[in-house]
PDB file of all heavy atoms in Angstrom:
ATOM      1  N   ASP A 232      50.693 -55.010-187.148  1.00 95.00           N
ATOM      2  CA  ASP A 232      50.809 -53.660-186.560  1.00 95.00           C
ATOM      3  C   ASP A 232      51.602 -52.754-187.463  1.00 95.00           C
ATOM      4  O   ASP A 232      51.213 -51.580-187.724  1.00 95.00           O
ATOM      5  CB  ASP A 232      51.525 -53.740-185.201  1.00 95.00           C
ATOM      6  CG  ASP A 232      50.702 -54.444-184.152  1.00 95.00           C
ATOM      7  OD1 ASP A 232      49.488 -54.450-184.275  1.00 95.00           O
ATOM      8  OD2 ASP A 232      51.309 -55.020-183.215  1.00 95.00           O
ATOM      9  N   LEU A 233      52.730 -53.233-188.017  1.00 96.00           N
ATOM     10  CA  LEU A 233      53.574 -52.431-188.878  1.00 96.00           C
ATOM     11  C   LEU A 233      52.886 -52.143-190.225  1.00 96.00           C
ATOM     12  O   LEU A 233      52.991 -51.020-190.730  1.00 96.00           O
ATOM     13  CB  LEU A 233      54.899 -53.147-189.108  1.00 96.00           C
ATOM     14  CG  LEU A 233      55.798 -53.279-187.851  1.00 96.00           C
ATOM     15  CD1 LEU A 233      56.988 -54.170-188.136  1.00 96.00           C
ATOM     16  CD2 LEU A 233      56.278 -51.893-187.375  1.00 96.00           C
ATOM     17  N   ILE A 234      52.171 -53.119-190.720  1.00 94.00           N
ATOM     18  CA  ILE A 234      51.472 -52.894-191.978  1.00 94.00           C
ATOM     19  C   ILE A 234      50.381 -51.869-191.801  1.00 94.00           C
ATOM     20  O   ILE A 234      50.180 -50.957-192.645  1.00 94.00           O
ATOM     21  CB  ILE A 234      50.856 -54.214-192.523  1.00 94.00           C
ATOM     22  CG1 ILE A 234      51.971 -55.132-193.059  1.00 94.00           C
ATOM     23  CG2 ILE A 234      49.809 -53.973-193.602  1.00 94.00           C
ATOM     24  CD1 ILE A 234      51.501 -56.512-193.483  1.00 94.00           C
ATOM     25  N   ASP A 235      49.673 -51.927-190.676  1.00 92.00           N
ATOM     26  CA  ASP A 235      48.615 -50.926-190.395  1.00 92.00           C
ATOM     27  C   ASP A 235      49.215 -49.540-190.240  1.00 92.00           C
ATOM     28  O   ASP A 235      48.653 -48.545-190.731  1.00 92.00           O
ATOM     29  CB  ASP A 235      47.879 -51.291-189.077  1.00 92.00           C
ATOM     30  CG  ASP A 235      46.990 -52.521-189.247  1.00 92.00           C
ATOM     31  OD1 ASP A 235      46.690 -52.880-190.388  1.00 92.00           O
ATOM     32  OD2 ASP A 235      46.573 -53.094-188.193  1.00 92.00           O
ATOM     33  N   ALA A 236      50.385 -49.440-189.593  1.00 92.00           N
ATOM     34  CA  ALA A 236      51.026 -48.126-189.433  1.00 92.00           C
ATOM     35  C   ALA A 236      51.435 -47.544-190.784  1.00 92.00           C
ATOM     36  O   ALA A 236      51.269 -46.351-191.019  1.00 92.00           O
ATOM     37  CB  ALA A 236      52.276 -48.277-188.553  1.00 92.00           C
ATOM     38  N   CYS A 237      51.945 -48.422-191.672  1.00 91.00           N
ATOM     39  CA  CYS A 237      52.347 -47.934-192.993  1.00 91.00           C
ATOM     40  C   CYS A 237      51.112 -47.510-193.807  1.00 91.00           C
ATOM     41  O   CYS A 237      51.143 -46.497-194.486  1.00 91.00           O
ATOM     42  CB  CYS A 237      53.078 -49.070-193.730  1.00 91.00           C
ATOM     43  SG  CYS A 237      54.719 -49.432-193.087  1.00 91.00           S
ATOM     44  N   THR A 238      50.038 -48.265-193.674  1.00 90.00           N
ATOM     45  CA  THR A 238      48.790 -47.932-194.388  1.00 90.00           C
ATOM     46  C   THR A 238      48.273 -46.590-193.927  1.00 90.00           C
ATOM     47  O   THR A 238      47.836 -45.759-194.744  1.00 90.00           O
ATOM     48  CB  THR A 238      47.753 -49.019-194.165  1.00 90.00           C
ATOM     49  OG1 THR A 238      48.219 -50.280-194.681  1.00 90.00           O
ATOM     50  CG2 THR A 238      46.429 -48.662-194.860  1.00 90.00           C
ATOM     51  N   GLU A 239      48.307 -46.336-192.592  1.00 87.00           N
ATOM     52  CA  GLU A 239      47.816 -45.079-192.066  1.00 87.00           C
ATOM     53  C   GLU A 239      48.691 -43.897-192.514  1.00 87.00           C
ATOM     54  O   GLU A 239      48.209 -42.828-192.841  1.00 87.00           O
ATOM     55  CB  GLU A 239      47.758 -45.140-190.527  1.00 87.00           C
ATOM     56  CG  GLU A 239      46.695 -46.077-189.997  1.00 87.00           C
ATOM     57  CD  GLU A 239      46.774 -46.269-188.487  1.00 87.00           C
ATOM     58  OE1 GLU A 239      47.604 -45.573-187.871  1.00 87.00           O
ATOM     59  OE2 GLU A 239      46.007 -47.108-187.956  1.00 87.00           O
ATOM     60  N   ALA A 240      50.001 -44.116-192.555  1.00 85.00           N
ATOM     61  CA  ALA A 240      50.909 -43.061-192.978  1.00 85.00           C
ATOM     62  C   ALA A 240      50.691 -42.711-194.425  1.00 85.00           C
ATOM     63  O   ALA A 240      50.651 -41.512-194.784  1.00 85.00           O
ATOM     64  CB  ALA A 240      52.371 -43.505-192.776  1.00 85.00           C
ATOM     65  N   LEU A 241      50.489 -43.710-195.276  1.00 84.00           N
ATOM     66  CA  LEU A 241      50.218 -43.453-196.686  1.00 84.00           C
ATOM     67  C   LEU A 241      48.871 -42.703-196.869  1.00 84.00           C
ATOM     68  O   LEU A 241      48.719 -41.856-197.722  1.00 84.00           O
ATOM     69  CB  LEU A 241      50.182 -44.733-197.502  1.00 84.00           C
ATOM     70  CG  LEU A 241      51.571 -45.377-197.715  1.00 84.00           C
ATOM     71  CD1 LEU A 241      51.399 -46.743-198.379  1.00 84.00           C
ATOM     72  CD2 LEU A 241      52.451 -44.475-198.551  1.00 84.00           C
ATOM     73  N   ALA A 242      47.881 -43.061-196.026  1.00 81.00           N
ATOM     74  CA  ALA A 242      46.590 -42.419-196.100  1.00 81.00           C
ATOM     75  C   ALA A 242      46.705 -40.931-195.762  1.00 81.00           C
ATOM     76  O   ALA A 242      46.074 -40.058-196.352  1.00 81.00           O
ATOM     77  CB  ALA A 242      45.592 -43.091-195.130  1.00 81.00           C
ATOM     78  N   GLU A 243      47.575 -40.600-194.782  1.00 75.00           N
ATOM     79  CA  GLU A 243      47.788 -39.214-194.387  1.00 75.00           C
ATOM     80  C   GLU A 243      48.378 -38.382-195.544  1.00 75.00           C
ATOM     81  O   GLU A 243      48.020 -37.268-195.787  1.00 75.00           O
ATOM     82  CB  GLU A 243      48.687 -39.117-193.137  1.00 75.00           C
ATOM     83  CG  GLU A 243      48.055 -39.647-191.885  1.00 75.00           C
ATOM     84  CD  GLU A 243      46.932 -38.726-191.399  1.00 75.00           C
ATOM     85  OE1 GLU A 243      46.781 -37.629-191.845  1.00 75.00           O
ATOM     86  OE2 GLU A 243      46.174 -39.196-190.502  1.00 75.00           O
ATOM     87  N   PHE A 244      49.383 -39.014-196.228  1.00 69.00           N
ATOM     88  CA  PHE A 244      50.041 -38.305-197.319  1.00 69.00           C
ATOM     89  C   PHE A 244      49.183 -38.249-198.599  1.00 69.00           C
ATOM     90  O   PHE A 244      49.151 -37.226-199.268  1.00 69.00           O
ATOM     91  CB  PHE A 244      51.379 -39.006-197.675  1.00 69.00           C
ATOM     92  CG  PHE A 244      52.520 -38.520-196.818  1.00 69.00           C
ATOM     93  CD1 PHE A 244      52.843 -39.169-195.645  1.00 69.00           C
ATOM     94  CD2 PHE A 244      53.287 -37.429-197.203  1.00 69.00           C
ATOM     95  CE1 PHE A 244      53.916 -38.741-194.861  1.00 69.00           C
ATOM     96  CE2 PHE A 244      54.308 -36.991-196.429  1.00 69.00           C
ATOM     97  CZ  PHE A 244      54.655 -37.622-195.250  1.00 69.00           C
ATOM     98  N   GLU A 245      48.526 -39.357-198.933  1.00 63.00           N
ATOM     99  CA  GLU A 245      47.913 -39.517-200.224  1.00 63.00           C
ATOM    100  C   GLU A 245      46.393 -39.360-200.208  1.00 63.00           C
ATOM    101  O   GLU A 245      45.732 -39.420-201.229  1.00 63.00           O
ATOM    102  CB  GLU A 245      48.332 -40.810-200.885  1.00 63.00           C
ATOM    103  CG  GLU A 245      49.833 -40.881-201.081  1.00 63.00           C
ATOM    104  CD  GLU A 245      50.284 -42.238-201.648  1.00 63.00           C
ATOM    105  OE1 GLU A 245      49.446 -43.157-201.718  1.00 63.00           O
ATOM    106  OE2 GLU A 245      51.471 -42.358-201.999  1.00 63.00           O
ATOM    107  N   GLY A 246      45.815 -39.315-198.997  1.00 60.00           N
ATOM    108  CA  GLY A 246      44.380 -39.136-198.875  1.00 60.00           C
ATOM    109  C   GLY A 246      43.542 -40.352-199.230  1.00 60.00           C
ATOM    110  O   GLY A 246      42.351 -40.240-199.494  1.00 60.00           O
ATOM    111  N   ARG A 247      44.144 -41.503-199.305  1.00 58.00           N
ATOM    112  CA  ARG A 247      43.378 -42.723-199.571  1.00 58.00           C
ATOM    113  C   ARG A 247      44.024 -43.872-198.786  1.00 58.00           C
ATOM    114  O   ARG A 247      45.220 -43.918-198.603  1.00 58.00           O
ATOM    115  CB  ARG A 247      43.386 -43.052-201.050  1.00 58.00           C
ATOM    116  CG  ARG A 247      44.773 -43.078-201.683  1.00 58.00           C
ATOM    117  CD  ARG A 247      44.717 -43.344-203.188  1.00 58.00           C
ATOM    118  NE  ARG A 247      46.045 -43.417-203.751  1.00 58.00           N
ATOM    119  CZ  ARG A 247      46.316 -43.613-205.044  1.00 58.00           C
ATOM    120  NH1 ARG A 247      45.249 -43.761-205.866  1.00 58.00           N
ATOM    121  NH2 ARG A 247      47.504 -43.651-205.489  1.00 58.00           N
ATOM    122  N   SER A 248      43.196 -44.829-198.368  1.00 64.00           N
ATOM    123  CA  SER A 248      43.700 -45.855-197.479  1.00 64.00           C
ATOM    124  C   SER A 248      43.686 -47.212-198.195  1.00 64.00           C
ATOM    125  O   SER A 248      42.922 -48.111-197.852  1.00 64.00           O
ATOM    126  CB  SER A 248      42.846 -45.913-196.210  1.00 64.00           C
ATOM    127  OG  SER A 248      41.498 -46.049-196.526  1.00 64.00           O
ATOM    128  N   ASN A 249      44.549 -47.377-199.185  1.00 78.00           N
ATOM    129  CA  ASN A 249      44.731 -48.705-199.798  1.00 78.00           C
ATOM    130  C   ASN A 249      45.659 -49.500-198.921  1.00 78.00           C
ATOM    131  O   ASN A 249      46.788 -49.063-198.675  1.00 78.00           O
ATOM    132  CB  ASN A 249      45.311 -48.536-201.206  1.00 78.00           C
ATOM    133  CG  ASN A 249      44.377 -47.841-202.152  1.00 78.00           C
ATOM    134  OD1 ASN A 249      43.169 -47.935-201.982  1.00 78.00           O
ATOM    135  ND2 ASN A 249      44.928 -47.098-203.123  1.00 78.00           N
ATOM    136  N   PRO A 250      45.214 -50.642-198.421  1.00 88.00           N
ATOM    137  CA  PRO A 250      46.059 -51.420-197.475  1.00 88.00           C
ATOM    138  C   PRO A 250      47.396 -51.828-198.152  1.00 88.00           C
ATOM    139  O   PRO A 250      47.440 -52.189-199.317  1.00 88.00           O
ATOM    140  CB  PRO A 250      45.197 -52.660-197.207  1.00 88.00           C
ATOM    141  CG  PRO A 250      43.802 -52.258-197.534  1.00 88.00           C
ATOM    142  CD  PRO A 250      43.923 -51.283-198.653  1.00 88.00           C
ATOM    143  N   VAL A 251      48.454 -51.712-197.336  1.00 92.00           N
ATOM    144  CA  VAL A 251      49.761 -52.157-197.796  1.00 92.00           C
ATOM    145  C   VAL A 251      49.789 -53.669-197.772  1.00 92.00           C
ATOM    146  O   VAL A 251      49.408 -54.297-196.746  1.00 92.00           O
ATOM    147  CB  VAL A 251      50.892 -51.592-196.882  1.00 92.00           C
ATOM    148  CG1 VAL A 251      52.252 -52.199-197.228  1.00 92.00           C
ATOM    149  CG2 VAL A 251      50.892 -50.077-196.961  1.00 92.00           C
ATOM    150  N   SER A 252      50.236 -54.310-198.832  1.00 93.00           N
ATOM    151  CA  SER A 252      50.222 -55.759-198.888  1.00 93.00           C
ATOM    152  C   SER A 252      51.406 -56.358-198.132  1.00 93.00           C
ATOM    153  O   SER A 252      52.420 -55.645-197.846  1.00 93.00           O
ATOM    154  CB  SER A 252      50.322 -56.229-200.360  1.00 93.00           C
ATOM    155  OG  SER A 252      51.569 -55.913-200.896  1.00 93.00           O
ATOM    156  N   ARG A 253      51.282 -57.593-197.724  1.00 94.00           N
ATOM    157  CA  ARG A 253      52.390 -58.276-197.007  1.00 94.00           C
ATOM    158  C   ARG A 253      53.618 -58.340-197.902  1.00 94.00           C
ATOM    159  O   ARG A 253      54.759 -58.215-197.427  1.00 94.00           O
ATOM    160  CB  ARG A 253      51.972 -59.672-196.591  1.00 94.00           C
ATOM    161  CG  ARG A 253      51.072 -59.670-195.335  1.00 94.00           C
ATOM    162  CD  ARG A 253      50.830 -61.090-194.853  1.00 94.00           C
ATOM    163  NE  ARG A 253      50.105 -61.064-193.561  1.00 94.00           N
ATOM    164  CZ  ARG A 253      50.542 -61.575-192.461  1.00 94.00           C
ATOM    165  NH1 ARG A 253      51.699 -62.184-192.416  1.00 94.00           N
ATOM    166  NH2 ARG A 253      49.840 -61.491-191.341  1.00 94.00           N
ATOM    167  N   ARG A 254      53.405 -58.579-199.214  1.00 93.00           N
ATOM    168  CA  ARG A 254      54.540 -58.662-200.114  1.00 93.00           C
ATOM    169  C   ARG A 254      55.294 -57.332-200.178  1.00 93.00           C
ATOM    170  O   ARG A 254      56.544 -57.323-200.140  1.00 93.00           O
ATOM    171  CB  ARG A 254      54.040 -59.053-201.520  1.00 93.00           C
ATOM    172  CG  ARG A 254      55.158 -59.180-202.546  1.00 93.00           C
ATOM    173  CD  ARG A 254      54.625 -59.677-203.863  1.00 93.00           C
ATOM    174  NE  ARG A 254      55.708 -59.824-204.849  1.00 93.00           N
ATOM    175  CZ  ARG A 254      55.523 -60.215-206.111  1.00 93.00           C
ATOM    176  NH1 ARG A 254      54.309 -60.513-206.497  1.00 93.00           N
ATOM    177  NH2 ARG A 254      56.535 -60.286-206.941  1.00 93.00           N
ATOM    178  N   THR A 255      54.521 -56.240-200.256  1.00 94.00           N
ATOM    179  CA  THR A 255      55.192 -54.925-200.283  1.00 94.00           C
ATOM    180  C   THR A 255      55.968 -54.669-198.975  1.00 94.00           C
ATOM    181  O   THR A 255      57.092 -54.168-198.984  1.00 94.00           O
ATOM    182  CB  THR A 255      54.133 -53.808-200.462  1.00 94.00           C
ATOM    183  OG1 THR A 255      53.526 -53.970-201.746  1.00 94.00           O
ATOM    184  CG2 THR A 255      54.763 -52.438-200.372  1.00 94.00           C
ATOM    185  N   PHE A 256      55.345 -55.040-197.849  1.00 95.00           N
ATOM    186  CA  PHE A 256      55.987 -54.872-196.542  1.00 95.00           C
ATOM    187  C   PHE A 256      57.292 -55.695-196.475  1.00 95.00           C
ATOM    188  O   PHE A 256      58.332 -55.219-196.011  1.00 95.00           O
ATOM    189  CB  PHE A 256      55.045 -55.297-195.428  1.00 95.00           C
ATOM    190  CG  PHE A 256      55.665 -55.279-194.069  1.00 95.00           C
ATOM    191  CD1 PHE A 256      55.896 -54.102-193.369  1.00 95.00           C
ATOM    192  CD2 PHE A 256      56.060 -56.490-193.461  1.00 95.00           C
ATOM    193  CE1 PHE A 256      56.491 -54.087-192.162  1.00 95.00           C
ATOM    194  CE2 PHE A 256      56.638 -56.495-192.220  1.00 95.00           C
ATOM    195  CZ  PHE A 256      56.864 -55.306-191.551  1.00 95.00           C
ATOM    196  N   GLN A 257      57.217 -56.981-196.937  1.00 94.00           N
ATOM    197  CA  GLN A 257      58.434 -57.809-196.930  1.00 94.00           C
ATOM    198  C   GLN A 257      59.542 -57.227-197.815  1.00 94.00           C
ATOM    199  O   GLN A 257      60.722 -57.286-197.483  1.00 94.00           O
ATOM    200  CB  GLN A 257      58.085 -59.213-197.347  1.00 94.00           C
ATOM    201  CG  GLN A 257      57.134 -59.965-196.428  1.00 94.00           C
ATOM    202  CD  GLN A 257      57.771 -60.319-195.072  1.00 94.00           C
ATOM    203  OE1 GLN A 257      58.944 -60.041-194.851  1.00 94.00           O
ATOM    204  NE2 GLN A 257      56.980 -60.922-194.194  1.00 94.00           N
ATOM    205  N   ASN A 258      59.120 -56.625-198.942  1.00 93.00           N
ATOM    206  CA  ASN A 258      60.114 -55.970-199.830  1.00 93.00           C
ATOM    207  C   ASN A 258      60.759 -54.783-199.144  1.00 93.00           C
ATOM    208  O   ASN A 258      61.959 -54.562-199.291  1.00 93.00           O
ATOM    209  CB  ASN A 258      59.439 -55.525-201.127  1.00 93.00           C
ATOM    210  CG  ASN A 258      59.089 -56.662-202.031  1.00 93.00           C
ATOM    211  OD1 ASN A 258      59.661 -57.781-201.930  1.00 93.00           O
ATOM    212  ND2 ASN A 258      58.176 -56.466-202.948  1.00 93.00           N
ATOM    213  N   ASP A 259      59.965 -54.053-198.378  1.00 93.00           N
ATOM    214  CA  ASP A 259      60.490 -52.884-197.630  1.00 93.00           C
ATOM    215  C   ASP A 259      61.523 -53.373-196.569  1.00 93.00           C
ATOM    216  O   ASP A 259      62.567 -52.751-196.394  1.00 93.00           O
ATOM    217  CB  ASP A 259      59.363 -52.116-196.964  1.00 93.00           C
ATOM    218  CG  ASP A 259      58.475 -51.397-197.957  1.00 93.00           C
ATOM    219  OD1 ASP A 259      58.941 -51.174-199.081  1.00 93.00           O
ATOM    220  OD2 ASP A 259      57.342 -51.074-197.596  1.00 93.00           O
ATOM    221  N   LEU A 260      61.168 -54.430-195.858  1.00 94.00           N
ATOM    222  CA  LEU A 260      62.078 -54.990-194.858  1.00 94.00           C
ATOM    223  C   LEU A 260      63.388 -55.432-195.505  1.00 94.00           C
ATOM    224  O   LEU A 260      64.484 -55.200-194.981  1.00 94.00           O
ATOM    225  CB  LEU A 260      61.465 -56.168-194.136  1.00 94.00           C
ATOM    226  CG  LEU A 260      60.378 -55.856-193.063  1.00 94.00           C
ATOM    227  CD1 LEU A 260      60.061 -57.143-192.309  1.00 94.00           C
ATOM    228  CD2 LEU A 260      60.852 -54.805-192.077  1.00 94.00           C
ATOM    229  N   ALA A 261      63.269 -56.107-196.680  1.00 93.00           N
ATOM    230  CA  ALA A 261      64.459 -56.550-197.361  1.00 93.00           C
ATOM    231  C   ALA A 261      65.344 -55.396-197.800  1.00 93.00           C
ATOM    232  O   ALA A 261      66.552 -55.462-197.718  1.00 93.00           O
ATOM    233  CB  ALA A 261      64.046 -57.410-198.578  1.00 93.00           C
ATOM    234  N   LEU A 262      64.686 -54.306-198.234  1.00 91.00           N
ATOM    235  CA  LEU A 262      65.401 -53.108-198.634  1.00 91.00           C
ATOM    236  C   LEU A 262      66.184 -52.503-197.449  1.00 91.00           C
ATOM    237  O   LEU A 262      67.331 -52.124-197.542  1.00 91.00           O
ATOM    238  CB  LEU A 262      64.460 -52.083-199.220  1.00 91.00           C
ATOM    239  CG  LEU A 262      65.058 -50.753-199.672  1.00 91.00           C
ATOM    240  CD1 LEU A 262      66.037 -50.963-200.811  1.00 91.00           C
ATOM    241  CD2 LEU A 262      63.928 -49.791-200.099  1.00 91.00           C
ATOM    242  N   MET A 263      65.508 -52.442-196.299  1.00 92.00           N
ATOM    243  CA  MET A 263      66.140 -51.879-195.096  1.00 92.00           C
ATOM    244  C   MET A 263      67.242 -52.751-194.597  1.00 92.00           C
ATOM    245  O   MET A 263      68.282 -52.240-194.093  1.00 92.00           O
ATOM    246  CB  MET A 263      65.044 -51.680-194.001  1.00 92.00           C
ATOM    247  CG  MET A 263      63.973 -50.675-194.361  1.00 92.00           C
ATOM    248  SD  MET A 263      62.651 -50.546-193.105  1.00 92.00           S
ATOM    249  CE  MET A 263      63.571 -49.793-191.720  1.00 92.00           C
ATOM    250  N   ARG A 264      67.085 -54.040-194.722  1.00 93.00           N
ATOM    251  CA  ARG A 264      68.101 -54.986-194.205  1.00 93.00           C
ATOM    252  C   ARG A 264      69.319 -55.037-195.140  1.00 93.00           C
ATOM    253  O   ARG A 264      70.427 -55.437-194.714  1.00 93.00           O
ATOM    254  CB  ARG A 264      67.517 -56.375-194.029  1.00 93.00           C
ATOM    255  CG  ARG A 264      66.645 -56.567-192.828  1.00 93.00           C
ATOM    256  CD  ARG A 264      65.851 -57.843-192.935  1.00 93.00           C
ATOM    257  NE  ARG A 264      65.234 -58.208-191.661  1.00 93.00           N
ATOM    258  CZ  ARG A 264      64.182 -59.052-191.548  1.00 93.00           C
ATOM    259  NH1 ARG A 264      63.656 -59.594-192.644  1.00 93.00           N
ATOM    260  NH2 ARG A 264      63.687 -59.319-190.366  1.00 93.00           N
ATOM    261  N   SER A 265      69.138 -54.680-196.388  1.00 90.00           N
ATOM    262  CA  SER A 265      70.193 -54.826-197.386  1.00 90.00           C
ATOM    263  C   SER A 265      71.165 -53.685-197.344  1.00 90.00           C
ATOM    264  O   SER A 265      71.009 -52.695-196.609  1.00 90.00           O
ATOM    265  CB  SER A 265      69.582 -54.922-198.785  1.00 90.00           C
ATOM    266  OG  SER A 265      69.130 -53.647-199.195  1.00 90.00           O
ATOM    267  N   ASP A 266      72.187 -53.780-198.211  1.00 82.00           N
ATOM    268  CA  ASP A 266      73.205 -52.741-198.299  1.00 82.00           C
ATOM    269  C   ASP A 266      72.912 -51.769-199.438  1.00 82.00           C
ATOM    270  O   ASP A 266      73.686 -50.913-199.758  1.00 82.00           O
ATOM    271  CB  ASP A 266      74.591 -53.379-198.499  1.00 82.00           C
ATOM    272  CG  ASP A 266      75.709 -52.359-198.414  1.00 82.00           C
ATOM    273  OD1 ASP A 266      75.666 -51.530-197.474  1.00 82.00           O
ATOM    274  OD2 ASP A 266      76.608 -52.395-199.273  1.00 82.00           O
ATOM    275  N   ARG A 267      71.753 -52.000-200.082  1.00 80.00           N
ATOM    276  CA  ARG A 267      71.490 -51.186-201.267  1.00 80.00           C
ATOM    277  C   ARG A 267      71.490 -49.712-200.954  1.00 80.00           C
ATOM    278  O   ARG A 267      72.035 -48.899-201.730  1.00 80.00           O
ATOM    279  CB  ARG A 267      70.105 -51.577-201.858  1.00 80.00           C
ATOM    280  CG  ARG A 267      69.741 -50.742-203.103  1.00 80.00           C
ATOM    281  CD  ARG A 267      68.370 -51.004-203.619  1.00 80.00           C
ATOM    282  NE  ARG A 267      67.955 -49.933-204.456  1.00 80.00           N
ATOM    283  CZ  ARG A 267      66.720 -49.750-204.893  1.00 80.00           C
ATOM    284  NH1 ARG A 267      65.782 -50.604-204.515  1.00 80.00           N
ATOM    285  NH2 ARG A 267      66.421 -48.747-205.660  1.00 80.00           N
ATOM    286  N   LEU A 268      70.866 -49.321-199.817  1.00 73.00           N
ATOM    287  CA  LEU A 268      70.874 -47.889-199.406  1.00 73.00           C
ATOM    288  C   LEU A 268      71.907 -47.661-198.310  1.00 73.00           C
ATOM    289  O   LEU A 268      71.991 -46.549-197.786  1.00 73.00           O
ATOM    290  CB  LEU A 268      69.470 -47.479-198.944  1.00 73.00           C
ATOM    291  CG  LEU A 268      68.363 -47.601-199.966  1.00 73.00           C
ATOM    292  CD1 LEU A 268      67.031 -47.182-199.359  1.00 73.00           C
ATOM    293  CD2 LEU A 268      68.659 -46.775-201.203  1.00 73.00           C
ATOM    294  N   GLY A 269      72.615 -48.690-197.926  1.00 75.00           N
ATOM    295  CA  GLY A 269      73.577 -48.562-196.855  1.00 75.00           C
ATOM    296  C   GLY A 269      73.050 -48.697-195.489  1.00 75.00           C
ATOM    297  O   GLY A 269      73.724 -48.404-194.492  1.00 75.00           O
ATOM    298  N   TYR A 270      71.770 -49.157-195.343  1.00 83.00           N
ATOM    299  CA  TYR A 270      71.151 -49.261-194.012  1.00 83.00           C
ATOM    300  C   TYR A 270      71.654 -50.495-193.249  1.00 83.00           C
ATOM    301  O   TYR A 270      72.072 -50.365-192.085  1.00 83.00           O
ATOM    302  CB  TYR A 270      69.618 -49.377-194.136  1.00 83.00           C
ATOM    303  CG  TYR A 270      68.931 -48.140-194.662  1.00 83.00           C
ATOM    304  CD1 TYR A 270      67.713 -48.223-195.326  1.00 83.00           C
ATOM    305  CD2 TYR A 270      69.498 -46.877-194.446  1.00 83.00           C
ATOM    306  CE1 TYR A 270      67.103 -47.083-195.786  1.00 83.00           C
ATOM    307  CE2 TYR A 270      68.861 -45.739-194.886  1.00 83.00           C
ATOM    308  CZ  TYR A 270      67.644 -45.842-195.568  1.00 83.00           C
ATOM    309  OH  TYR A 270      67.038 -44.714-196.022  1.00 83.00           O
ATOM    310  N   ASN A 271      71.630 -51.662-193.855  1.00 88.00           N
ATOM    311  CA  ASN A 271      71.930 -52.935-193.138  1.00 88.00           C
ATOM    312  C   ASN A 271      71.203 -52.985-191.823  1.00 88.00           C
ATOM    313  O   ASN A 271      71.763 -53.292-190.761  1.00 88.00           O
ATOM    314  CB  ASN A 271      73.433 -53.054-192.924  1.00 88.00           C
ATOM    315  CG  ASN A 271      74.212 -53.186-194.236  1.00 88.00           C
ATOM    316  OD1 ASN A 271      73.928 -54.087-194.997  1.00 88.00           O
ATOM    317  ND2 ASN A 271      75.154 -52.296-194.468  1.00 88.00           N
TER     318      ASN A 271
END
């Protein structure tokens, strides 16, 4: 569900619907969970 939502959002911005890969999605989750941007 989350991957589909990300794919649709990118399609709206960039005009093309290249599916977001699971690896990219997992990297995004890791970024959000980390302290790199202060999100945790």
Side-chain angles (χ1 to χ4, degrees):
D232 293 334
L233 293 171
I234 288 175
D235 288 345
C237 291
T238 299
E239 290 173 7
L241 288 174
E243 292 290 347
F244 273 92
E245 300 176 351
R247 52 183 182 181
S248 54
N249 295 330
V251 173
S252 68
R253 282 187 173 238
R254 181 176 180 180
T255 297
F256 174 77
Q257 294 292 358
N258 288 338
D259 292 338
L260 284 188
L262 179 64
M263 295 175 70
R264 284 167 166 158
S265 74
D266 189 44
R267 179 185 163 192
L268 300 179
Y270 293 153
N271 294 304

